[in-house]
């Protein structure tokens, strides 16, 4: 992706359904669970590199022994760091006590992190600081085992202020407004309440506190706690949690915005943010890994029983399409096919842009995530070249010589790796001209493969802000002196902020918004349009948690889709670029055709799946209009 955008996050949960001795005997190690967690987190490092965390719970531990372990890191390589810490602590204990090497029960009692219930997390810091305090899992401690709560998630809530105020009204004093804290404290409140009610009933039956504890564990209804806790949540989320006694859960939002997949057999229950993560770590087939349904929770009780409960009534499925375009690993069979289709469906517009001249066109991609879409685009281009060959053969059939036939059949599509990203450039120079010159060299170029008579077609995942494209990539490609440079985006125009996980918070950052503003000014209706939209957005109460309508759609309403694309082409070019520039965007209809199961398209269409999303986009416009450099969520 030429413009890096961030996304949070990745989760992994694992419940071992057998005693640790079983895994030692079958797989050669009691640390089977820890090893699998390392694999699952490492296979999701694409989802977050700002921090990583790991927590474990031991079942049936005697009083006086530690049963919860947690480690977090915001180091440069956080996954490796947390598991280096885990390994160091375990190996130190084994070196000091070699007699327990084959004694699994003693290992469990004395070694940290060795348990039966695991929760891991990788984080992209889309909001707030990247301090260690922001890294999941979060821990809510209590001396009662079943009141201990560990929470991690892949989520963003649009109504954090309201959720915070709800906690205050419940009599709590939250230490901060971060959505993870408010979510955990809300669950914790209803957990405490449910435990209190159960104890009261048991006390009336003559049980003392010690006698009541195991009965509370058995009778605790996790789905009831989740229903009460999530009633007011607005956002995209997958929330995972563990209780100190061993119950665990994963809950997905009712629109299915954020992804979650699970696998279960008689040895393990596993949940992760991506399907191939589970396939690889546990060597299971595609069809054995299932998607957690929107609004559903998978709950694993201490006794190992697994329950699927509808926590929130499912709404229209709006699974994030960016998962398919860019974020999720392309090794998923469905995603690989969808990304190829994204490239293939762009080809008709590309062919028009190059006047169907495939023989004088070079096709490439901007490394490396657009590679799969590139394959789809090239296959479609090859189909067109084959059509042209057939047409030539039929046209010349009466005079065709062996030499001419050989020439026609030898025509090949020209594909090259043009852009090579050497390093992630960092500079302390603040002077714009100096910095821009350095940024222009983030990518290097392959010389000698493009002629001045060639079209150069380069596909990218998406064009968000356009900054890297304008200041680096286009200048680099222009050095090859092609006749025409065509930048192809496998994603549609990004027009609106995302408030459910992706770090796109300000309207003025989007080159599509800049293009629409430019067109409004050109038509002489800018101020009139902006004033009208501002009034509608401002009329929305500052304290309302929801909004019925996205008023910012009016910015784009006067213009055809292609008109905005043409203006973006102009904005990304400047007098220093000699080649003709054209930008082609995927259409929303073709996106839906390529990714039929993931129709979450609010950043392209403005059709937010929750009313909290409408509130965010309207607030983003107010910030733009008032000149505030603030986030909208």
């Amino acid at each position: 992706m030429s413009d890096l955008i961030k996304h949070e996050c990745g989760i992994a949960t694992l419940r071992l359904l057998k005693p640790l001795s079983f895994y030692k005997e079958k797989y050669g190690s009691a640390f089977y669970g820890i090893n699998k967690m390392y694999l699952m987190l490492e296979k999701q490092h694409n989802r977050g590199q700002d921090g990583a965390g790991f927590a474990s719970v031991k079942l049936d531990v005697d009083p006086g022994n530690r049963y919860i372990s947690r480690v977090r890191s915001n180091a440069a390589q956080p996954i490796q760091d947390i598991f280096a810490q885990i390994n160091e602590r375990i190996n130190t204990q084994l070196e000091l006590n070699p007699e327990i090497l084959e004694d699994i029960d003693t290992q469990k009692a004395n070694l940290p992190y060795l348990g039966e219930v695991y929760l891991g997390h990788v984080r992209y810091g889309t909001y707030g600081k990247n301090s260690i305090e922001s890294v999941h899992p979060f821990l809510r401690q209590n001396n009662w085992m079943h009141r201990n709560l560990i929470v991690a998630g892949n989520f963003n809530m649009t109504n954090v202020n309201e959720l915070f105020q709800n906690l205050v009204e419940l009599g709590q004093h939250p230490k901060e407004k971060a959505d993870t804290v408010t979510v955990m404290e809300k669950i914790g409140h209803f957990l405490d309440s449910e435990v209190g009610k159960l104890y009261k009933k048991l006390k009336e039956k003559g049980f003392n506190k010690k006698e009541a504890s195991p009965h509370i564990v058995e009778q605790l209804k996790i789905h009831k706690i989740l229903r009460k806790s999530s009633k007011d949540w607005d956002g995209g989320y997958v929330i995972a949690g563990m209780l100190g006694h061993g119950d665990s859960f994963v809950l997905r939002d009712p629109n299915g915005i954020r992804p979650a997949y699970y696998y279960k057999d008689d040895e393990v229950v596993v949940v992760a943010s991506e399907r191939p993560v589970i396939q690889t770590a546990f060597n299971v087939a595609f069809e054995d890994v299932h998607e957690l349904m929107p609004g559903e929770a998978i709950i694993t009780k201490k006794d190992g029983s697994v329950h699927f409960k509808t926590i929130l009534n499912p709404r229209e499925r709006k699974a994030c399409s960016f998962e398919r375009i860019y974020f999720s690993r392309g090794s998923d069979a469905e995603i690989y096919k969808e990304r190829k289709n994204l490239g293939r469906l762009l080809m008709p517009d590309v062919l028009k842009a190059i006047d169907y001249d495939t023989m004088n066109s070079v096709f490439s991609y901007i490394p490396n995530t657009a590679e799969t879409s590139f394959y789809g685009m090239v296959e479609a281009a090859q189909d067109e070249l084959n059509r042209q060959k057939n047409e030539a053969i039929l046209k010349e059939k009466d005079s065709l010589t062996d030499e001419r036939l050989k020439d026609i059949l030898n025509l090949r599509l020209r594909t090259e790796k043009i852009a090579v990203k050497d390093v992630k450039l960092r500079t302390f120079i603040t002077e714009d001209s100096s910095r821009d010159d350095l940024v222009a060299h983030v990518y290097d170029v392959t010389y000698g493969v493009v002629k001045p008579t060639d079209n150069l077609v380069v596909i990218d995942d998406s064009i968000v802000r356009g900054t890297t494209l304008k200041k680096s990539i286009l200048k680099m490609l222009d050095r090859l002196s092609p006749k025409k440079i065509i930048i192809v985006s496998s994603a549609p125009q990004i027009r609106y902020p995302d408030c459910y996980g992706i770090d796109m918070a300000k309207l003025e950052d989007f080159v599509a918004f800049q293009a629409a503003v430019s067109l409004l000014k050109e038509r002489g209706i800018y101020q009139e349009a902006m004033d009208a939209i501002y009034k509608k957005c401002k009329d929305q109460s500052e304290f309302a948690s929801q909004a019925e309508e996205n008023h910012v759609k009016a910015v784009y309403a006067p213009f055809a889709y292609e008109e905005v694309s043409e203006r973006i082409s102009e904005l990304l070019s400047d007098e220093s670029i000699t080649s003709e520039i054209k930008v082609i965007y995927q259409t929303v209809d073709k996106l839906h055709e390529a990714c039929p199961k993931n129709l979450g398209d609010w950043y392209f269409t403005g059709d937010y799946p929750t009313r909290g999303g409408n509130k965010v986009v309207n607030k983003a416009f107010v910030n733009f209009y008032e000149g505030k450099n603030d986030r909208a969520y």
Side-chain angles (χ1 to χ4, degrees), residues 40-86:
M40 286 199 288
L41 292 184
E42 192 58 67
K43 291 296 180 183
Q44 293 184 103
H45 75 271
N46 54 296
R47 303 188 68 84
Q49 298 163 27
D50 290 334
F54 172 97
S56 65
V57 171
K58 302 174 187 282
L59 301 181
D60 301 315
V61 173
D62 292 332
N65 292 296
R66 185 173 179 175
Y67 54 94
I68 294 175
S69 297
R70 180 181 64 152
V71 58
R72 300 181 294 173
S73 174
N74 61 348
Q77 295 182 308
I79 299 171
Q80 292 89 331
D81 184 46
I82 61 174
F83 283 95
Q85 293 182 53
I86 290 169

Side-chain angles (χ1 to χ4, degrees), residues 182-305:
T182 54
V183 165
M184 180 177 67
E185 291 300 335
K186 195 70 176 289
I187 298 172
H189 169 80
F190 288 107
L191 172 62
D192 289 344
S193 176
E194 189 68 16
V195 168
K197 290 176 182 176
L198 289 172
Y199 170 66
K200 184 177 180 181
K201 290 179 181 178
L202 290 164
K203 184 180 179 181
E204 290 172 355
K205 294 180 180 180
F207 290 89
N208 60 36
K209 290 182 178 179
K210 181 179 179 180
E211 293 167 339
S213 286
H215 294 282
I216 291 173
V217 167
E218 291 174 6
Q219 296 175 30
L220 200 58
K221 300 292 192 295
I222 302 298
H223 63 280
K224 288 185 176 180
I225 295 169
L226 293 176
R227 280 182 190 140
K228 293 176 182 177
S229 305
S230 60
K231 183 176 66 172
D232 298 321
W233 293 352
D234 187 293
Y237 52 85
V238 171
I239 308 293
M242 304 187 296
L243 275 61
H245 64 269
D247 285 1
S248 61
F249 63 85
V250 178
L251 168 63
R252 191 179 185 194
D253 69 82
N255 291 104
I257 295 171
R258 300 262 65 86
Y261 295 87
Y262 70 89
Y263 167 76
K264 179 188 177 300
D265 60 22
D266 61 348
E267 296 180 10
V268 295
V269 180
V270 191
V271 183
S273 293
E274 298 187 28
R275 186 199 312 264
V277 170
I278 300 174
Q279 286 183 254
T280 300
F282 293 88
N283 191 27
V284 294
F286 176 93
E287 57 271 14
D288 293 328
V289 182
H290 307 284
E291 187 176 4
L292 188 64
M293 290 295 100
E296 187 176 60
I298 177 172
I299 299 167
T300 307
K301 294 290 291 177
K302 178 181 178 291
D303 63 10
S305 60

Side-chain angles (χ1 to χ4, degrees), residues 138 167 174-186:
F138 280 42
L167 291 175
K175 62 181 180 179
E176 56 180 297
K177 282 189 177 181
D179 51 7
T180 310
V181 171
T182 54
V183 165
M184 180 177 67
E185 291 300 335
K186 195 70 176 289

